[in-house]
Amino acid sequence: MNQPVDAKAARHDYYRRIAGHGLTPLWELMAALVPEQPRSPFRPHLWRYQDIRPALLESGRLITAREAVRRVLILENPGMPGSSAITQSLYAGLQVILPGEVAPSHRHTQSALRLIVEGEGAYTAVEGERVTMHPGDFIITPSWAWHDHGSEAEAAVVWLDGLDIPLVRFLDCGFAENLGAEVQPLTRPEGDALARFGANLLPLDWTPAGATSPVFAYPYARSREALHRLARAGDPDAVHGIRMQFINPATGGPAMPTIGTTIQWLPAGFSGAGYRCTDGTVFHVIEGSGECCLEGAVLPFGPRDTFVVPSWTEHRLAAHGECVLFAFSDRPVQRALGLWREWRAS
């Protein structure tokens, strides 16, 4: 007479045996691998600049920019400790450079952005052109472009770094190289790229070298003036206020192929509608104060603070006085793959 078989024990025994052949049963993992909607392990979080600033300045007394190569404190999402990531695909950190220092020239396949947080008189050099940095400026380091930083300021200069390090790591396509000299040779005068490509003009015989914008520095003064004019011209969007994306003027596409960047203005007293999107987004407060209201949490923000909203997390933005936010996400990648989605509260 056949004895009844314990189905659970039989399955576990089966899984153990097939594991030796590099096999695992999909039916045990289906819900996690193909979820009904995104369930990000990353958490909403806010980094208050005034709390972080002392640690940034202390790092300058512990290690030089030359020793560190890049003196940065990583903004690591508390939902994924040890990941060196702020969202599933993006890295963020705060970098400090002191008067007279140079962060030596190197290049890497990871694309990078800089949003200047504090101080003036430092510079970034990218592929033979130097740009002096001012608070609120957005600066791009394209993939595999030589770049170095230096400071002729009288005080510390701090900027927010954003890179696609987790995405490049996932694809196993990361390379890096040191120039062998602290600074690269300058071959173009400051402002050359903006003059050639930032005035609705292109050189007649120019051929793009890649998908990144040939304008690598977007001055905040220009961006703020555009927002100011648009604020006077019409009503703000119910979710975003007035939100504009930085573009590649040669293509009309995103300024960076793997990282989408935006700047937005919220009027005083703005209370936005609920919103979700699949691109986990990092926000940095250039001006003003307000709060980001999420599912079960409120993140009150002020000038120079940074906060993150993970993928498909419902949130809404509110402003106390006028507020300007810079943001970056992986939206260009999702759109290129046909994966990006959004939802607005009705």
PDB file of all heavy atoms in Angstrom, residues 8 22-23 33 40 45 75 78 191 221 223-224 229 245 253 255 261 263 266 273-274 309 316:
ATOM      1  N   LYS A   8       5.316  19.084   1.118  1.00  0.00           N
ATOM      2  CA  LYS A   8       6.262  20.138   1.453  1.00  0.00           C
ATOM      3  C   LYS A   8       7.676  19.584   1.587  1.00  0.00           C
ATOM      4  O   LYS A   8       8.639  20.155   1.049  1.00  0.00           O
ATOM      5  CB  LYS A   8       5.836  20.818   2.752  1.00  0.00           C
ATOM      6  CG  LYS A   8       6.667  22.037   3.109  1.00  0.00           C
ATOM      7  CD  LYS A   8       6.098  22.745   4.340  1.00  0.00           C
ATOM      8  CE  LYS A   8       6.899  23.991   4.675  1.00  0.00           C
ATOM      9  NZ  LYS A   8       6.344  24.693   5.863  1.00  0.00           N
ATOM     10  N   GLY A  22      22.611  24.117 -10.380  1.00  0.00           N
ATOM     11  CA  GLY A  22      22.431  25.536 -10.710  1.00  0.00           C
ATOM     12  C   GLY A  22      21.016  25.871 -11.118  1.00  0.00           C
ATOM     13  O   GLY A  22      20.805  26.746 -11.954  1.00  0.00           O
ATOM     14  N   LEU A  23      20.034  25.184 -10.537  1.00  0.00           N
ATOM     15  CA  LEU A  23      18.622  25.397 -10.867  1.00  0.00           C
ATOM     16  C   LEU A  23      17.863  25.851  -9.629  1.00  0.00           C
ATOM     17  O   LEU A  23      18.203  25.492  -8.501  1.00  0.00           O
ATOM     18  CB  LEU A  23      17.995  24.095 -11.392  1.00  0.00           C
ATOM     19  CG  LEU A  23      18.649  23.467 -12.634  1.00  0.00           C
ATOM     20  CD1 LEU A  23      18.064  22.091 -12.895  1.00  0.00           C
ATOM     21  CD2 LEU A  23      18.470  24.377 -13.841  1.00  0.00           C
ATOM     22  N   LEU A  33       9.925  38.312  -8.350  1.00  0.00           N
ATOM     23  CA  LEU A  33      10.571  38.627  -9.617  1.00  0.00           C
ATOM     24  C   LEU A  33       9.669  39.411 -10.561  1.00  0.00           C
ATOM     25  O   LEU A  33      10.144  40.237 -11.343  1.00  0.00           O
ATOM     26  CB  LEU A  33      11.038  37.338 -10.306  1.00  0.00           C
ATOM     27  CG  LEU A  33      12.147  36.550  -9.593  1.00  0.00           C
ATOM     28  CD1 LEU A  33      12.439  35.264 -10.343  1.00  0.00           C
ATOM     29  CD2 LEU A  33      13.405  37.394  -9.480  1.00  0.00           C
ATOM     30  N   SER A  40      10.155  49.020  -3.909  1.00  0.00           N
ATOM     31  CA  SER A  40      11.564  49.360  -3.745  1.00  0.00           C
ATOM     32  C   SER A  40      12.038  49.077  -2.325  1.00  0.00           C
ATOM     33  O   SER A  40      11.348  49.416  -1.349  1.00  0.00           O
ATOM     34  CB  SER A  40      11.792  50.838  -4.065  1.00  0.00           C
ATOM     35  OG  SER A  40      13.145  51.180  -3.836  1.00  0.00           O
ATOM     36  N   HIS A  45      14.094  59.467   2.517  1.00  0.00           N
ATOM     37  CA  HIS A  45      15.007  59.955   3.556  1.00  0.00           C
ATOM     38  C   HIS A  45      15.428  61.374   3.219  1.00  0.00           C
ATOM     39  O   HIS A  45      15.471  61.761   2.047  1.00  0.00           O
ATOM     40  CB  HIS A  45      16.246  59.063   3.655  1.00  0.00           C
ATOM     41  CG  HIS A  45      17.099  59.348   4.857  1.00  0.00           C
ATOM     42  ND1 HIS A  45      16.726  58.996   6.134  1.00  0.00           N
ATOM     43  CD2 HIS A  45      18.307  59.975   4.973  1.00  0.00           C
ATOM     44  CE1 HIS A  45      17.660  59.369   6.988  1.00  0.00           C
ATOM     45  NE2 HIS A  45      18.625  59.981   6.318  1.00  0.00           N
ATOM     46  N   LEU A  75      25.862  59.806   0.332  1.00  0.00           N
ATOM     47  CA  LEU A  75      24.493  59.835   0.878  1.00  0.00           C
ATOM     48  C   LEU A  75      23.890  58.460   0.625  1.00  0.00           C
ATOM     49  O   LEU A  75      23.304  58.198  -0.425  1.00  0.00           O
ATOM     50  CB  LEU A  75      23.678  60.939   0.201  1.00  0.00           C
ATOM     51  CG  LEU A  75      24.245  62.360   0.299  1.00  0.00           C
ATOM     52  CD1 LEU A  75      23.284  63.361  -0.338  1.00  0.00           C
ATOM     53  CD2 LEU A  75      24.544  62.755   1.732  1.00  0.00           C
ATOM     54  N   PRO A  78      19.242  54.648   3.829  1.00  0.00           N
ATOM     55  CA  PRO A  78      19.199  53.790   5.019  1.00  0.00           C
ATOM     56  C   PRO A  78      18.459  52.476   4.803  1.00  0.00           C
ATOM     57  O   PRO A  78      18.615  51.544   5.596  1.00  0.00           O
ATOM     58  CB  PRO A  78      18.491  54.655   6.063  1.00  0.00           C
ATOM     59  CG  PRO A  78      17.709  55.644   5.270  1.00  0.00           C
ATOM     60  CD  PRO A  78      18.512  55.906   4.036  1.00  0.00           C
ATOM     61  N   GLY A 191      33.831  79.297 -20.907  1.00  0.00           N
ATOM     62  CA  GLY A 191      32.625  79.760 -21.581  1.00  0.00           C
ATOM     63  C   GLY A 191      32.525  79.340 -23.028  1.00  0.00           C
ATOM     64  O   GLY A 191      31.523  79.637 -23.698  1.00  0.00           O
ATOM     65  N   ALA A 221      21.998  81.210 -12.636  1.00  0.00           N
ATOM     66  CA  ALA A 221      21.397  82.515 -12.927  1.00  0.00           C
ATOM     67  C   ALA A 221      20.481  82.429 -14.141  1.00  0.00           C
ATOM     68  O   ALA A 221      19.385  83.019 -14.156  1.00  0.00           O
ATOM     69  CB  ALA A 221      22.497  83.551 -13.164  1.00  0.00           C
ATOM     70  N   SER A 223      18.997  79.591 -15.340  1.00  0.00           N
ATOM     71  CA  SER A 223      17.865  78.717 -15.018  1.00  0.00           C
ATOM     72  C   SER A 223      16.843  79.440 -14.144  1.00  0.00           C
ATOM     73  O   SER A 223      15.632  79.332 -14.369  1.00  0.00           O
ATOM     74  CB  SER A 223      18.361  77.460 -14.285  1.00  0.00           C
ATOM     75  OG  SER A 223      19.331  76.772 -15.049  1.00  0.00           O
ATOM     76  N   ARG A 224      17.338  80.204 -13.173  1.00  0.00           N
ATOM     77  CA  ARG A 224      16.441  80.918 -12.254  1.00  0.00           C
ATOM     78  C   ARG A 224      15.660  81.992 -12.992  1.00  0.00           C
ATOM     79  O   ARG A 224      14.469  82.193 -12.719  1.00  0.00           O
ATOM     80  CB  ARG A 224      17.263  81.537 -11.116  1.00  0.00           C
ATOM     81  CG  ARG A 224      16.412  82.161 -10.009  1.00  0.00           C
ATOM     82  CD  ARG A 224      15.628  81.098  -9.278  1.00  0.00           C
ATOM     83  NE  ARG A 224      14.861  81.632  -8.161  1.00  0.00           N
ATOM     84  CZ  ARG A 224      13.621  82.102  -8.248  1.00  0.00           C
ATOM     85  NH1 ARG A 224      13.011  82.161  -9.427  1.00  0.00           N
ATOM     86  NH2 ARG A 224      12.991  82.518  -7.171  1.00  0.00           N
ATOM     87  N   ARG A 229      10.487  83.985 -15.246  1.00  0.00           N
ATOM     88  CA  ARG A 229       9.642  84.442 -16.356  1.00  0.00           C
ATOM     89  C   ARG A 229       8.422  83.538 -16.518  1.00  0.00           C
ATOM     90  O   ARG A 229       7.301  84.015 -16.757  1.00  0.00           O
ATOM     91  CB  ARG A 229      10.451  84.471 -17.651  1.00  0.00           C
ATOM     92  CG  ARG A 229      11.475  85.586 -17.717  1.00  0.00           C
ATOM     93  CD  ARG A 229      12.284  85.533 -18.997  1.00  0.00           C
ATOM     94  NE  ARG A 229      13.226  86.638 -19.086  1.00  0.00           N
ATOM     95  CZ  ARG A 229      12.947  87.833 -19.575  1.00  0.00           C
ATOM     96  NH1 ARG A 229      11.727  88.081 -20.042  1.00  0.00           N
ATOM     97  NH2 ARG A 229      13.865  88.783 -19.629  1.00  0.00           N
ATOM     98  N   GLN A 245      13.049  70.549 -17.566  1.00  0.00           N
ATOM     99  CA  GLN A 245      14.144  69.593 -17.664  1.00  0.00           C
ATOM    100  C   GLN A 245      15.326  70.211 -18.377  1.00  0.00           C
ATOM    101  O   GLN A 245      15.166  71.010 -19.306  1.00  0.00           O
ATOM    102  CB  GLN A 245      13.690  68.325 -18.377  1.00  0.00           C
ATOM    103  CG  GLN A 245      13.215  68.527 -19.802  1.00  0.00           C
ATOM    104  CD  GLN A 245      12.809  67.229 -20.465  1.00  0.00           C
ATOM    105  OE1 GLN A 245      13.500  66.224 -20.374  1.00  0.00           O
ATOM    106  NE2 GLN A 245      11.663  67.247 -21.134  1.00  0.00           N
ATOM    107  N   GLY A 253      16.997  66.107 -26.525  1.00  0.00           N
ATOM    108  CA  GLY A 253      16.840  65.039 -25.545  1.00  0.00           C
ATOM    109  C   GLY A 253      17.413  65.426 -24.199  1.00  0.00           C
ATOM    110  O   GLY A 253      17.820  66.578 -23.980  1.00  0.00           O
ATOM    111  N   ALA A 255      19.873  66.032 -21.039  1.00  0.00           N
ATOM    112  CA  ALA A 255      21.249  66.513 -21.019  1.00  0.00           C
ATOM    113  C   ALA A 255      22.246  65.376 -20.821  1.00  0.00           C
ATOM    114  O   ALA A 255      23.383  65.457 -21.289  1.00  0.00           O
ATOM    115  CB  ALA A 255      21.415  67.560 -19.917  1.00  0.00           C
ATOM    116  N   THR A 261      17.643  65.334 -15.371  1.00  0.00           N
ATOM    117  CA  THR A 261      17.829  66.438 -14.436  1.00  0.00           C
ATOM    118  C   THR A 261      16.758  67.500 -14.664  1.00  0.00           C
ATOM    119  O   THR A 261      16.435  67.828 -15.801  1.00  0.00           O
ATOM    120  CB  THR A 261      19.225  67.063 -14.599  1.00  0.00           C
ATOM    121  OG1 THR A 261      19.453  67.350 -15.993  1.00  0.00           O
ATOM    122  CG2 THR A 261      20.311  66.113 -14.114  1.00  0.00           C
ATOM    123  N   ILE A 263      14.743  71.264 -12.869  1.00  0.00           N
ATOM    124  CA  ILE A 263      14.705  72.346 -11.892  1.00  0.00           C
ATOM    125  C   ILE A 263      13.264  72.823 -11.822  1.00  0.00           C
ATOM    126  O   ILE A 263      12.576  72.903 -12.854  1.00  0.00           O
ATOM    127  CB  ILE A 263      15.688  73.474 -12.266  1.00  0.00           C
ATOM    128  CG1 ILE A 263      15.824  74.468 -11.117  1.00  0.00           C
ATOM    129  CG2 ILE A 263      15.297  74.168 -13.570  1.00  0.00           C
ATOM    130  CD1 ILE A 263      17.015  75.414 -11.269  1.00  0.00           C
ATOM    131  N   LEU A 266       8.316  76.348  -6.908  1.00  0.00           N
ATOM    132  CA  LEU A 266       7.041  76.213  -6.214  1.00  0.00           C
ATOM    133  C   LEU A 266       6.683  77.561  -5.621  1.00  0.00           C
ATOM    134  O   LEU A 266       7.494  78.169  -4.906  1.00  0.00           O
ATOM    135  CB  LEU A 266       7.139  75.168  -5.090  1.00  0.00           C
ATOM    136  CG  LEU A 266       7.658  73.777  -5.465  1.00  0.00           C
ATOM    137  CD1 LEU A 266       7.742  72.887  -4.224  1.00  0.00           C
ATOM    138  CD2 LEU A 266       6.784  73.134  -6.525  1.00  0.00           C
ATOM    139  N   ALA A 273      -0.553  68.179  -5.603  1.00  0.00           N
ATOM    140  CA  ALA A 273      -1.366  66.961  -5.634  1.00  0.00           C
ATOM    141  C   ALA A 273      -0.460  65.735  -5.506  1.00  0.00           C
ATOM    142  O   ALA A 273       0.748  65.792  -5.749  1.00  0.00           O
ATOM    143  CB  ALA A 273      -2.154  66.906  -6.937  1.00  0.00           C
ATOM    144  N   GLY A 274      -1.061  64.605  -5.123  1.00  0.00           N
ATOM    145  CA  GLY A 274      -0.312  63.369  -4.987  1.00  0.00           C
ATOM    146  C   GLY A 274       0.242  62.885  -6.324  1.00  0.00           C
ATOM    147  O   GLY A 274      -0.371  63.081  -7.379  1.00  0.00           O
ATOM    148  N   VAL A 309      12.985  60.283  -2.925  1.00  0.00           N
ATOM    149  CA  VAL A 309      11.678  59.629  -3.006  1.00  0.00           C
ATOM    150  C   VAL A 309      11.854  58.376  -3.857  1.00  0.00           C
ATOM    151  O   VAL A 309      12.123  58.478  -5.059  1.00  0.00           O
ATOM    152  CB  VAL A 309      10.620  60.558  -3.634  1.00  0.00           C
ATOM    153  CG1 VAL A 309       9.278  59.837  -3.729  1.00  0.00           C
ATOM    154  CG2 VAL A 309      10.478  61.844  -2.822  1.00  0.00           C
ATOM    155  N   ARG A 316       3.704  64.240  -2.245  1.00  0.00           N
ATOM    156  CA  ARG A 316       3.297  65.556  -2.723  1.00  0.00           C
ATOM    157  C   ARG A 316       4.216  66.600  -2.101  1.00  0.00           C
ATOM    158  O   ARG A 316       4.714  66.429  -0.985  1.00  0.00           O
ATOM    159  CB  ARG A 316       1.834  65.854  -2.406  1.00  0.00           C
ATOM    160  CG  ARG A 316       1.490  65.923  -0.942  1.00  0.00           C
ATOM    161  CD  ARG A 316       0.022  66.262  -0.724  1.00  0.00           C
ATOM    162  NE  ARG A 316      -0.292  66.468   0.684  1.00  0.00           N
ATOM    163  CZ  ARG A 316      -0.104  67.620   1.319  1.00  0.00           C
ATOM    164  NH1 ARG A 316       0.366  68.665   0.660  1.00  0.00           N
ATOM    165  NH2 ARG A 316      -0.399  67.744   2.590  1.00  0.00           N
TER     166      ARG A 316
END
